[in-house]
Amino acid sequence: MIRKIMRFADDNGWYLLFLEITRRMTATIRGILYSRSLKATGMSIGESPYIRGAKSITIGSRFMAGKNLWLEAIHQYGNNRYAPKIIIGNNVGVSDSVHIAATNSVVLSDGVLVGSRVLITDHNHGIYSGKAQTGPGQPPSERKLSADQSVFIGCNVWIGDGVVVLPGSHIGEGSIIGANSVVKGGIPSRCIAIGSPARPVRSYDHLSKEWKKWIPN
């Protein structure tokens, strides 16, 4: 670590080194403060986080997040109240500009890795199926948030950059979601899924220890 710091100083000057050390110290202090408020251990969070509804957010140990994290358990929107929960397991890492929001339930299990610019949400602005659907004449910002679906992401899932995980999605353990995909519904365990909507293209064969072409049942 010391050698890396000295190389950085030689290449960029002592002023930039000071800025880098200040940035890292700030991130460490921020992580400690959020760790206490969220009752998490070993947390590290980048610049400009927005965390709302901490009483309904549970985070395991060694959570790491890049800058611009948006973590929101929504208890009230307009005149409507909700009972949300966001559960994040141990050893979960999310990159820059990740938005996780819940009015009902969002779960990220142990070992999940999330790329940059990812949205994971269990709700919509408005109701578009069943009874009492929302009409287009109402501004989207004033529409009641849905709260009848959930999102579950299994252990050791890797979600690539730019992915959107929509309400009602279930991603099985060990699966990989390709960059810029849109997940809607169920993704089986131990597969690679891509596209909009995301569909499996490969699955892991435990006998050969290879990722092979997906063959639907």
Side-chain angles (χ1 to χ4, degrees):
M1 176 60 71
I2 294 177
R3 290 181 179 178
K4 289 183 179 179
I5 291 175
M6 296 304 297
R7 283 200 300 269
F8 183 91
D10 292 339
D11 294 340
N12 299 278
W14 290 101
Y15 175 70
L16 291 181
L17 174 62
F18 172 76
L19 293 180
E20 177 66 13
I21 292 174
T22 301
R23 183 188 67 80
R24 294 187 183 187
M25 290 179 62
T26 301
T28 300
I29 294 171
R30 184 186 301 114
I32 293 171
L33 293 175
Y34 276 117
S35 293
R36 290 180 177 177
S37 65
L38 294 168
K39 299 179 180 179
T41 58
M43 176 184 291
S44 175
I45 298 180
E47 301 171 9
S48 303
Y50 175 77
I51 298 178
R52 176 184 174 192
K55 66 181 181 180
S56 297
I57 299 173
T58 301
I59 297 180
S61 61
R62 297 177 296 280
F63 173 69
M64 299 185 66
K67 61 186 179 181
N68 302 320
L69 172 67
W70 185 349
L71 195 59
E72 186 172 22
I74 302 170
H75 290 92
Q76 183 169 356
Y77 190 84
N79 296 323
N80 301 294
R81 295 183 178 275
Y82 304 93
K85 62 179 180 180
I86 295 175
I87 300 174
I88 297 175
N90 301 318
N91 300 308
V92 172
V94 304
S95 194
D96 296 343
S97 301
V98 171
H99 181 186
I100 301 172
T103 57
N104 183 28
S105 173
V106 172
V107 176
L108 279 69
S109 303
D110 296 349
V112 168
L113 179 64
V114 181
S116 301
R117 306 178 311 281
V118 171
L119 170 64
I120 301 171
T121 181
D122 68 353
H123 61 275
N124 295 303
H125 279 264
I127 311 299
Y128 304 103
S129 61
K131 298 180 179 180
Q133 296 186 26
T134 305
Q138 185 179 19
S141 61
E142 298 177 6
R143 298 174 188 176
K144 179 181 179 180
L145 302 181
S146 62
D148 60 344
Q149 297 191 77
S150 61
V151 170
F152 179 85
I153 300 173
C155 294
N156 299 327
V157 167
W158 173 23
I159 297 177
D161 291 353
V163 169
V164 175
V165 180
L166 293 174
S169 295
H170 183 291
I171 303 175
E173 64 174 315
S175 285
I176 300 168
I177 309 299
N180 300 315
S181 296
V182 177
V183 179
K184 181 176 176 59
I187 300 295
S189 299
R190 298 175 293 280
C191 75
I192 300 174
I194 62 173
S196 178
R199 294 287 184 265
V201 293
R202 288 182 175 273
S203 60
Y204 187 72
D205 186 307
H206 285 283
L207 295 177
S208 66
K209 300 186 182 303
E210 295 177 335
W211 293 90
K212 295 186 175 181
K213 183 177 179 180
W214 172 263
I215 301 177
N217 293 329

